Amino acid sequence: MKVLIDLSSESVKALDAIAKKRKSARVDVIRNIIQKALDTESAVSFEEAFGSWKKTPKALDGVAFQRQMRDEDW
């Protein structure tokens, strides 16, 4: 799918410099940058995952939570 975007001349020059350095086309550089951004956004960050066990319905300590999880049928 084609998408039309407006970029500043400085951004285009920077993309062209990256493309020249990598010996690839500008479109490939743009695709790679977008894919990396999408991968980063879709990954669960450490901050989001840290302490997530505290959000359980019951106020369980860490060991009790592990035992509960192990007892569940997957």
Side-chain angles (χ1 to χ4, degrees):
M1 174 184 289
K2 292 184 180 186
V3 177
L4 180 65
I5 61 169
D6 289 321
L7 298 173
S8 67
S9 58
E10 293 83 15
S11 294
V12 173
K13 288 177 186 176
L15 288 168
D16 286 341
I18 294 169
K20 185 176 180 180
K21 182 179 176 181
R22 294 182 182 178
K23 298 179 182 175
S24 63
R26 182 193 308 154
V27 67
D28 293 327
V29 173
I30 294 169
R31 284 185 186 129
N32 288 334
I33 290 170
I34 291 171
Q35 189 59 53
K36 285 180 183 178
L38 293 172
D39 291 345
T40 301
E41 286 294 321
S42 64
V44 176
S45 70
F46 175 75
E47 289 80 17
E48 290 174 318
F50 184 76
S52 59
W53 64 271
K54 290 182 181 179
K55 298 174 186 173
T56 59
K58 299 176 184 175
L60 301 174
D61 66 19
V63 175
F65 178 71
Q66 288 178 14
R67 288 183 182 138
Q68 178 183 335
M69 294 302 292
R70 290 177 183 153
D71 290 341
E72 291 182 6
D73 292 326
W74 291 86

